[in-house]
Amino acid sequence: MANKYAIGIDFGTESARAVLVRLSDGAELASAVSPYADGVIDETLPGSGIRLEPDWALQNPMDYVTAVKETVPKVLAASGVSANDVIGIGIDFTACTMLPTKADGTPLCVLPAYRDNPHAWVKLWKHHAAQPEANKLNRLAEERGETWLARYGGKISSEWFFPKALQILDEAPEIYDAADRLIEAADWVVWQLTGVETRNSCTAGYKAIWSKEEGFPSPDFFAALHPRMRNIVQEKMQEDIKPLGARAGGLTAEMAAATGLLPGTAVAVANVDAHVAVPAATVTSTGRMVMIMGTSICHMVVGQQPRIVPGMCGVVEDGILPNLAGFEAGQSAVGDIFAWFVDHCVPAEYQQEAAERGLNLHQLLEEKASTLQVGESGLLALDWWNGNRSVLVDVDLTGLLLGATLATRAEEIYRALIEATAFGTRMIIEAFRSNGVPVDDLVAAGGLPERNRLFMQIYADVTGQEIKVVASTQAGALGSAMHGAVAAGAAAGGFDSIEEAAAQMAHLRDDTFKPNAENHAVYNELYQEYVRLHDYFGRGENDVMKRLKAIRARALSA
Amino acid sequence: MANKYAIGIDFGTESARAVLVRLSDGAELASAVSPYADGVIDETLPGSGIRLEPDWALQNPMDYVTAVKETVPKVLAASGVSANDVIGIGIDFTACTMLPTKADGTPLCVLPAYRDNPHAWVKLWKHHAAQPEANKLNRLAEERGETWLARYGGKISSEWFFPKALQILDEAPEIYDAADRLIEAADWVVWQLTGVETRNSCTAGYKAIWSKEEGFPSPDFFAALHPRMRNIVQEKMQEDIKPLGARAGGLTAEMAAATGLLPGTAVAVANVDAHVAVPAATVTSTGRMVMIMGTSICHMVVGQQPRIVPGMCGVVEDGILPNLAGFEAGQSAVGDIFAWFVDHCVPAEYQQEAAERGLNLHQLLEEKASTLQVGESGLLALDWWNGNRSVLVDVDLTGLLLGATLATRAEEIYRALIEATAFGTRMIIEAFRSNGVPVDDLVAAGGLPERNRLFMQIYADVTGQEIKVVASTQAGALGSAMHGAVAAGAAAGGFDSIEEAAAQMAHLRDDTFKPNAENHAVYNELYQEYVRLHDYFGRGENDVMKRLKAIRARALSA
């Protein structure tokens, strides 16, 4: 039997990447990237030049369609694979990235009547202007004792679906009215590929407060939030939520012509970039945590039962893998903290040395920091440069560095910052464990494991656990291709389950990061100190960070 | 009547500076600097090349004599003043800087039998290798309930006289035996000038646990510290302590020949560099605090009565001004913290901008930090990069920075560090006030008031008090010249008291730093947060800093 193939398309913040994958062994035969022409729209609106307010971040949905039409022909051509042998397509996306459309899927922002209104465009995941709406939603949910709140660590993020929807209604009711649909961009792209409107369980569950058992929040809740939102689900969404790996439909004739694929090629329902990487990291069963490690960290693990774990981002049945409860937690800044440090706190002589030796500053600092013994710096940090996502769920917490002396050097601070993020991950792991979600095994994916061995070794030493690393450097696109193969099904040469797909297509690297027992023992001591400071500053004993933020806000508004 | 003059010589860490001053108005007519040929000896012993252990810092006493012989002829020549009109000499010195000598004042380190022994040399103030001896002394004093301990904030520093003496006895008993005298370098230089051995009340009181009422610690205490130290005071010191401004003697014929001054010129007893600056800052009465602001800050104020103020460095009757109780407190790192920051935490782009604009990094950071509102950075620091001298008296405390975000910039941290040191000074002022020592008025001297206007304004805003600044940039040498004029006496054309000398010779600048009421109000809020963190980390609630230091020590010894 001839080899069969699937294409995964990973829609990131700045570009989309398609990868063509062989189903028999997961070999990635070709990949192609398409940067979005309008990129992240955070200053002025394309066409009109209308200025956006601070914290806005939009996108142009047509860039996503262009990306499909550009990248798929390229991977077909580069791999030399026949369209006859490509049996499935899957996509994954940033989330919650959402937009208003007409009933036929036409984005409002392409219609002349609406295109000069910022609210007609795609609100990107990092659009942070819906914080007042999120605050209102959270207060109301607490007052009403909404049971779903606990599934999200007690707080709905301003990045998620309903705060963004409410912002449209608050600030541009005409757009809210004109929108027949409010939809995740992920689902919208699948709609463009298939002509069929679907909703995937992952974004619905993690971003739109949906659960398999309870559905969406009640009309009464929405009505209390805003009278005109009472029937938002019935009016502007879809209650038929599809599990991951399900077939959304077949490729339309138009998209087939544009891409060179066959009409009717199976298209899987959409997925989220982090979550789709879980099976791509070989993980299809309970107890194995996948960490996507980059600017931030996303921690995912599945369990037999939904459980309430304080401070997690969400628990969703079918959210990561079918018929299992998917748990997500996260750290809001990890690589971002190291990048901040390198940009703003490293002296010129280090820049010079790095330049002379052909290293970047991260490499130089990693090299210098690697020579330090555990505990030698005398430093301890709280990794809250961008607040704390899990387990405190508090954006108003800030970073702390303790233990500085006149002998403290940049590489010591760099290492202390890495260690602080590792302590943050350990805290998350322990929160899962102590609330009945086993975490026996760690698998890493993302950019940082590729780039920084010290970072990975510190995580192994701090957690005391071996860390395996995903073999693919495109775990998102690989995972999407795997879901495409599942959507096609075994009868077509694909797979009938994600487990089967993972068994064939997903791999780990041979080399792993093993904890050093001596280092782990010292880190146990340091971790106790971290926990104490974490609780002192994070759980209300001394709210100095919030008071400083309030004083800062007053100073800036004066 | 012809103008009369005095010469003050300020012996610093790296060099000595002589200034020739007109008595009628304090005009500084000439100055000359002599760098010490052997500088700070902290690696190898001159001559033998013997390696020193870490934390050692020695000097060559002959460098001091050379400095006198080099600088005095220069100021005479440069000013055109006749030796006939120079009626007095005063000197001030770093302290405790001490050495072992024979009975005739010959330093042991110049004798062939001893010169290859590091303990035969001058132990400079920042020789920190006597910490075990200081620990032993403090433990014993606590156990025995020695009443003098409270006069020094509950702790004798390893920098002071008896820990250094005990280190000699512990590690080089043959040097201890050979030493007929253990003496402050300040007093030793006066001995060289006059041929008369004296001890001044300032170093005796602040560095050698002497008080006017109680004298030195008892022989029983010394015997408990080390049996052979029982009679250290009687055997190797002098119990006749001279008040400041007293005439030690007249210039010897030999020193007169070497300097061009007249034999018999009045020489005042020695003084300490910080303390001698108090009358040079016009302060001769109670309630006016003088702050010497440089790498560290020394806070001095006089009161009618000795009082116990927790965490001060010392209270000494006659220690600063005759017949008054002199109180000293301090911050162990101030300018040193800013220098650390500039050296180790400022990115290359700032260096480049500073170079392009012909500024140094301090100037650039000051300029950028000046544009920030109070509280705008959201940062708060504990200024313990070199421990806390007052009011916690704890070298094991370390620096803390809280409130960092991904938007934090170097100038914000720089400003937060300045603010932290200002909060530290406010804490000291409040400790004095709440223990019955009035502080109504602030006068600044030292290098920082010259260089950094933002620094001074922040101190005014944090304390809520106007800060006046000494007119002389050589307050140490000026104060020494004033004491020389007092040693000469009014009959010789000098003065009969330091008050009279100050009235003529000491001046303040016209421009002062006045507190901004709005800034002060915000700083009051920030100060409350500082106090809370100060007490939490500094008073035993969470000893994390000490535990990290212990872990660090273990890591380094592994």
Side-chain angles (χ1 to χ4, degrees):
Chain A
M1 180 176 140
N3 274 319
K4 296 295 180 190
Y5 304 87
I7 292 174
I9 312 178
D10 171 49
F11 289 84
T13 299
E14 302 283 351
S15 63
R17 172 187 296 268
V19 177
L20 188 146
V21 188
R22 185 162 60 206
L23 304 196
S24 58
D25 60 358
E28 298 169 13
L29 300 189
S31 77
V33 174
S34 171
Y36 307 142
D38 283 333
V40 175
I41 302 166
D42 54 9
E43 296 192 347
T44 58
L45 215 53
S48 61
I50 288 169
R51 285 208 74 79
L52 300 179
E53 290 176 34
D55 295 330
W56 277 65
L58 305 179
Q59 290 199 316
N60 182 345
M62 302 321 292
D63 285 341
Y64 309 143
V65 177
T66 303
V68 173
K69 293 178 178 174
E70 277 185 8
T71 57
V72 173
K74 280 188 188 166
V75 297
L76 282 173
S79 64
V81 166
S82 160
N84 296 321
D85 295 323
V86 177
I87 61 167
I89 307 169
I91 72 161
D92 63 276
F93 227 94
T94 65
C96 164
T97 294
M98 56 85 80
L99 69 161
T101 75
K102 300 307 290 180
D104 66 356
T106 305
L108 294 193
C109 66
V110 306
L111 299 174
Y114 308 112
R115 72 176 158 214
D116 293 347
N117 189 322
H119 282 289
W121 295 65
V122 175
K123 286 190 168 61
L124 185 59
W125 66 274
K126 64 176 177 177
H127 173 89
H128 287 143
Q131 190 62 54
E133 285 77 10
N135 296 345
K136 185 177 175 190
L137 187 153
N138 284 314
R139 270 197 309 274
L140 182 66
E142 270 180 44
E143 282 165 21
R144 294 172 49 96
E146 296 289 343
T147 54
W148 42 260
L149 199 56
R151 296 204 309 266
Y152 300 97
K155 214 165 275 180
I156 301 302
S157 164
S158 75
E159 291 182 3
W160 295 357
F161 192 84
F162 290 113
K164 281 173 169 161
L166 180 56
Q167 194 198 3
I168 297 175
L169 178 52
D170 278 346
E171 299 178 10
E174 68 282 15
I175 297 294
Y176 189 83
D177 286 344
D180 298 318
R181 284 290 180 258
L182 294 171
I183 187 167
E184 281 280 345
D187 293 324
W188 180 81
V189 169
V190 168
W191 191 358
Q192 301 311 298
L193 293 174
T194 61
V196 180
E197 182 187 356
T198 56
R199 306 270 162 161
N200 74 81
S201 56
C202 183
T203 53
Y206 287 107
K207 309 299 176 185
I209 322 184
W210 169 86
S211 87
K212 201 173 178 177
E213 297 276 309
E214 302 180 18
F216 289 100
S218 66
D220 283 353
F221 172 78
F222 283 121
L225 191 58
H226 194 297
R228 292 176 52 197
M229 269 183 99
R230 172 181 289 277
N231 296 314
I232 183 172
V233 173
Q234 294 74 13
E235 287 171 12
K236 297 181 190 292
M237 298 173 67
Q238 201 184 39
E239 291 184 87
D240 177 23
I241 308 298
K242 291 262 187 292
L244 300 174
R247 186 177 183 280
L251 198 66
T252 63
E254 188 204 328
M255 287 305 288
T259 58
L261 293 172
L262 300 188
T265 303
V267 178
V269 298
N271 209 325
V272 175
D273 47 8
H275 303 71
V276 76
V278 171
T282 75
V283 172
T284 55
S285 58
T286 59
R288 307 188 68 196
M289 174 176 276
V290 176
M291 305 184 287
I292 314 289
M293 308 176 106
T295 54
S296 58
I297 295 183
C298 182
H299 307 77
M300 289 162 295
V301 63
V302 293
Q304 292 297 342
Q305 308 286 337
R307 288 179 185 278
I308 298 305
V309 181
M312 71 187 153
C313 302
V315 51
V316 176
E317 280 194 79
D318 295 355
I320 298 175
L321 294 165
N323 305 313
L324 289 167
F327 297 88
E328 181 191 344
Q331 287 172 271
S332 45
V334 179
D336 273 350
I337 300 179
F338 316 147
W340 168 85
F341 182 74
V342 159
D343 287 348
H344 300 293
C345 306
V346 180
E349 67 196 73
Y350 284 62
Q351 288 226 345
Q352 197 180 330
E353 182 182 346
E356 283 167 11
R357 297 178 51 204
L359 302 173
N360 67 39
L361 271 175
H362 286 284
Q363 292 169 322
L364 181 71
L365 289 167
E366 181 192 347
E367 180 187 298
K368 290 180 186 288
S370 296
T371 67
L372 297 168
Q373 300 294 312
V374 176
E376 180 180 338
S377 72
L379 297 172
L380 185 63
L382 290 176
D383 52 318
W384 300 343
W385 264 249
N386 193 20
N388 177 293
R389 189 168 294 160
S390 302
V391 298
L392 297 170
V393 199
D394 193 335
V395 295
D396 286 329
L397 297 174
T398 52
L400 176 144
L401 179 73
L402 180 152
T405 74
L406 296 173
T408 298
R409 294 298 173 266
E411 59 270 28
E412 296 179 305
I413 303 176
Y414 186 75
R415 184 174 177 126
L417 295 174
I418 294 176
E419 291 168 343
T421 66
F423 294 142
T425 279
R426 178 164 167 181
M427 201 118 199
I428 288 168
I429 293 170
E430 296 194 354
F432 277 121
R433 284 185 182 145
S434 61
N435 288 281
V437 181
V439 178
D440 309 318
D441 201 14
L442 301 178
V443 184
L448 271 171
E450 301 296 319
R451 288 195 302 273
N452 196 325
R453 291 190 65 82
L454 175 66
F455 169 86
M456 293 302 295
Q457 188 59 48
I458 288 173
Y459 272 62
D461 289 347
V462 164
T463 60
Q465 288 197 269
E466 184 178 357
I467 307 181
K468 303 182 179 76
V469 181
V470 179
S472 172
T473 58
Q474 309 297 337
L478 172 62
S480 288
M482 290 163 60
H483 282 88
V486 173
F495 302 101
D496 279 340
S497 72
I498 195 68
E499 289 83 355
E500 292 168 27
Q504 292 286 340
M505 297 172 72
H507 307 285
L508 297 174
R509 286 201 218 155
D510 289 335
D511 60 327
T512 66
F513 295 90
K514 295 183 184 63
N516 172 304
E518 277 177 42
N519 290 350
H520 181 58
V522 182
Y523 276 134
N524 283 343
E525 289 181 73
L526 293 172
Y527 178 68
Q528 294 314 313
E529 303 295 346
Y530 175 91
V531 170
R532 186 154 172 202
L533 292 175
H534 174 283
D535 290 351
Y536 178 73
F537 288 110
R539 298 197 193 273
E541 228 181 313
N542 186 347
D543 278 338
V544 54
M545 291 166 179
K546 291 158 198 269
R547 289 190 296 270
L548 290 174
K549 275 213 167 180
I551 292 170
R552 169 178 156 80
R554 241 173 44 213
L556 286 171
S557 69
Chain B
M1 180 176 138
N3 274 317
K4 296 294 179 189
Y5 303 87
I7 292 174
I9 312 179
D10 171 50
F11 290 85
T13 300
E14 302 283 350
S15 63
R17 172 186 297 268
V19 177
L20 189 146
V21 188
R22 186 163 59 208
L23 304 197
S24 58
D25 60 358
E28 298 169 12
L29 300 190
S31 77
V33 174
S34 171
Y36 306 142
D38 283 333
V40 176
I41 302 166
D42 53 10
E43 296 192 346
T44 57
L45 214 54
S48 61
I50 289 169
R51 285 208 74 80
L52 300 179
E53 290 176 34
D55 297 328
W56 277 65
L58 305 179
Q59 290 199 316
N60 182 345
M62 301 322 291
D63 285 341
Y64 310 142
V65 177
T66 302
V68 173
K69 293 179 179 174
E70 277 185 8
T71 57
V72 174
K74 281 188 191 168
V75 296
L76 282 173
S79 65
V81 166
S82 160
N84 296 320
D85 295 323
V86 177
I87 62 167
I89 307 169
I91 72 162
D92 63 276
F93 227 93
T94 64
C96 163
T97 294
M98 57 85 80
L99 70 160
T101 76
K102 300 307 290 179
D104 64 356
T106 306
L108 293 193
C109 65
V110 306
L111 298 174
Y114 308 112
R115 72 176 159 214
D116 292 348
N117 189 323
H119 282 289
W121 294 65
V122 175
K123 285 190 169 62
L124 185 60
W125 66 274
K126 65 176 177 175
H127 174 89
H128 286 142
Q131 190 63 54
E133 285 77 9
N135 296 345
K136 185 177 175 190
L137 187 154
N138 284 315
R139 269 197 308 274
L140 182 66
E142 270 179 44
E143 282 165 19
R144 294 173 49 98
E146 296 288 343
T147 54
W148 43 261
L149 199 55
R151 295 204 310 267
Y152 301 96
K155 215 165 273 180
I156 301 303
S157 164
S158 75
E159 291 182 2
W160 295 356
F161 191 85
F162 290 113
K164 281 172 169 160
L166 179 56
Q167 193 198 4
I168 297 175
L169 178 51
D170 278 346
E171 299 179 8
E174 67 281 18
I175 297 293
Y176 188 83
D177 288 342
D180 298 318
R181 284 290 179 258
L182 294 171
I183 188 167
E184 282 280 345
D187 293 323
W188 180 80
V189 169
V190 168
W191 191 357
Q192 301 311 298
L193 293 174
T194 61
V196 180
E197 182 187 356
T198 57
R199 306 270 162 160
N200 74 81
S201 56
C202 183
T203 52
Y206 288 107
K207 310 299 175 184
I209 323 183
W210 170 86
S211 88
K212 202 173 177 177
E213 297 277 307
E214 302 180 19
F216 290 100
S218 67
D220 284 353
F221 172 78
F222 284 121
L225 191 58
H226 194 298
R228 291 177 51 197
M229 269 183 97
R230 171 180 289 277
N231 296 313
I232 182 172
V233 173
Q234 294 74 12
E235 288 172 10
K236 299 181 189 291
M237 299 173 67
Q238 199 183 38
E239 290 183 85
D240 178 23
I241 308 297
K242 290 261 187 296
L244 301 174
R247 184 178 185 279
L251 199 65
T252 63
E254 189 204 326
M255 287 304 290
T259 58
L261 293 173
L262 299 189
T265 304
V267 178
V269 298
N271 209 326
V272 175
D273 46 10
H275 304 70
V276 76
V278 171
T282 75
V283 173
T284 56
S285 58
T286 60
R288 308 188 67 196
M289 175 177 275
V290 176
M291 304 184 289
I292 314 289
M293 309 176 105
T295 53
S296 58
I297 294 183
C298 181
H299 307 77
M300 289 162 295
V301 63
V302 293
Q304 292 297 341
Q305 308 287 336
R307 288 178 185 277
I308 297 306
V309 181
M312 71 188 153
C313 302
V315 51
V316 177
E317 282 195 78
D318 294 355
I320 299 175
L321 293 166
N323 304 313
L324 289 167
F327 298 87
E328 180 191 345
Q331 288 172 271
S332 45
V334 178
D336 272 351
I337 300 179
F338 316 147
W340 168 85
F341 183 74
V342 159
D343 286 348
H344 300 294
C345 306
V346 180
E349 68 197 73
Y350 284 61
Q351 288 226 346
Q352 199 180 329
E353 182 182 346
E356 281 167 12
R357 297 177 50 203
L359 303 173
N360 67 39
L361 271 174
H362 286 284
Q363 292 168 322
L364 181 71
L365 289 168
E366 182 191 347
E367 180 187 296
K368 290 180 186 287
S370 295
T371 67
L372 297 167
Q373 302 294 313
V374 176
E376 179 180 338
S377 72
L379 297 172
L380 185 64
L382 288 176
D383 52 317
W384 300 344
W385 264 248
N386 194 19
N388 176 294
R389 189 167 295 161
S390 302
V391 298
L392 297 170
V393 198
D394 193 335
V395 296
D396 286 330
L397 297 174
T398 52
L400 175 144
L401 179 73
L402 180 150
T405 73
L406 297 173
T408 298
R409 294 297 172 267
E411 59 270 27
E412 295 179 304
I413 302 176
Y414 186 74
R415 185 174 176 125
L417 294 175
I418 294 176
E419 291 168 343
T421 67
F423 295 142
T425 279
R426 177 163 167 182
M427 200 118 201
I428 288 168
I429 292 171
E430 296 194 355
F432 276 121
R433 285 186 181 144
S434 61
N435 288 281
V437 181
V439 177
D440 309 317
D441 199 13
L442 301 178
V443 184
L448 271 170
E450 302 296 321
R451 287 195 301 273
N452 197 324
R453 291 191 65 83
L454 174 67
F455 170 85
M456 293 303 294
Q457 188 59 49
I458 288 174
Y459 272 63
D461 290 347
V462 165
T463 60
Q465 290 198 266
E466 183 179 357
I467 306 180
K468 303 183 179 74
V469 180
V470 179
S472 172
T473 58
Q474 308 297 337
L478 172 61
S480 288
M482 289 164 61
H483 281 89
V486 173
F495 302 101
D496 279 340
S497 72
I498 194 71
E499 289 83 356
E500 291 169 28
Q504 293 286 340
M505 298 172 72
H507 307 285
L508 298 175
R509 286 201 219 154
D510 288 336
D511 60 329
T512 66
F513 294 89
K514 294 184 183 62
N516 170 301
E518 279 178 41
N519 290 350
H520 181 57
V522 182
Y523 276 133
N524 283 342
E525 289 181 73
L526 293 172
Y527 178 67
Q528 294 314 312
E529 303 294 347
Y530 175 90
V531 170
R532 186 152 171 203
L533 292 175
H534 174 282
D535 290 351
Y536 178 73
F537 289 109
R539 298 198 193 272
E541 229 182 312
N542 185 347
D543 279 337
V544 54
M545 290 166 180
K546 290 158 199 268
R547 290 189 296 270
L548 290 174
K549 274 214 166 177
I551 292 170
R552 168 177 157 80
R554 239 172 45 211
L556 286 172
S557 69

